[in-house]
Amino acid sequence: MSEADPPLAAARPDVTLHGARRLVDHVTAAARSEGRAVTVAVVDTAGVLVAFERMDGAPRFSAGLATSKACTAMTFGRPTSAMESMFADRHAFASSFVHHGGWYLGRGGFPVVVDGAVVGGVGVSGDDAEREERLAADAAASLTGPEAPGRSSPAAGA
């Protein structure tokens, strides 16, 4: 193959099992410390589960929701709460959009960004929306720092 030939495969960074387990452990430790039970899902850039845990006491339905939140955040590279506000006044479109792709338009999902690239998504379900959002955001920031999409960095206001 000459230097002029384009590559035949794309190199895509994905969250590793080690990184995904760190995210799950971060969420479950925080939830446990608050006496709460949640479900957390971490997906790679293909939307495939890498790590998952439904804590004892978390609602069964939260398993599917956590995965949908993780996939939505990864696919669109933004928190699912941003998707919620984007479609707030477009109910018919939002309904068909969600039905078409299984997307989740609410709080609790964050993209996982490493070295400036989205490498996966983390989704949390089974508690109130505000807590789910905080747990997912804190977990994503634990790997990526405050510069992740949807998080403000200290320099942002300067």
Side-chain angles (χ1 to χ4, degrees), residues 11-78:
R12 289 193 174 93
D14 276 316
V15 65
T16 64
L17 177 59
H18 175 72
R21 285 300 323 160
R22 278 185 47 188
L23 292 164
V24 168
D25 292 346
H26 191 281
V27 169
T28 56
R32 196 172 293 109
S33 74
E34 298 172 5
R36 312 300 282 196
V38 298
T39 298
V40 57
V42 180
V43 299
D44 63 17
T45 58
V48 176
L49 274 173
V50 178
F52 175 89
E53 186 168 328
R54 183 171 64 88
M55 298 172 69
D56 291 340
R60 290 182 177 150
F61 68 81
S62 64
L65 292 177
T67 304
S68 291
K69 291 176 184 190
C71 286
T72 302
M74 180 282 306
T75 299
F76 295 97
R78 63 182 62 198

Side-chain angles (χ1 to χ4, degrees), residues 20-142:
R21 285 300 323 160
R22 278 185 47 188
L23 292 164
V24 168
D25 292 346
H26 191 281
V27 169
T28 56
R32 196 172 293 109
S33 74
E34 298 172 5
R36 312 300 282 196
V38 298
T39 298
V40 57
V42 180
V43 299
D44 63 17
T45 58
V48 176
L49 274 173
V50 178
F52 175 89
E53 186 168 328
R54 183 171 64 88
M55 298 172 69
D56 291 340
R60 290 182 177 150
F61 68 81
S62 64
L65 292 177
T67 304
S68 291
K69 291 176 184 190
C71 286
T72 302
M74 180 282 306
T75 299
F76 295 97
R78 63 182 62 198
T80 55
S81 57
M83 303 295 289
E84 177 182 34
S85 62
M86 276 178 35
F87 294 107
D89 295 329
R90 302 176 69 196
H91 302 291
F93 182 79
S95 177
S96 60
F97 178 78
V98 168
H99 177 72
H100 179 71
W103 311 117
Y104 188 86
L105 307 180
R107 288 167 270 183
F110 264 76
V112 177
V113 179
V114 175
D115 296 330
V118 175
V119 298
V122 58
V124 178
S125 185
D127 208 324
D128 64 73
E130 290 78 20
R131 186 172 282 113
E132 294 169 353
E133 179 82 354
R134 180 178 48 78
L135 290 170
D138 290 350
S142 75

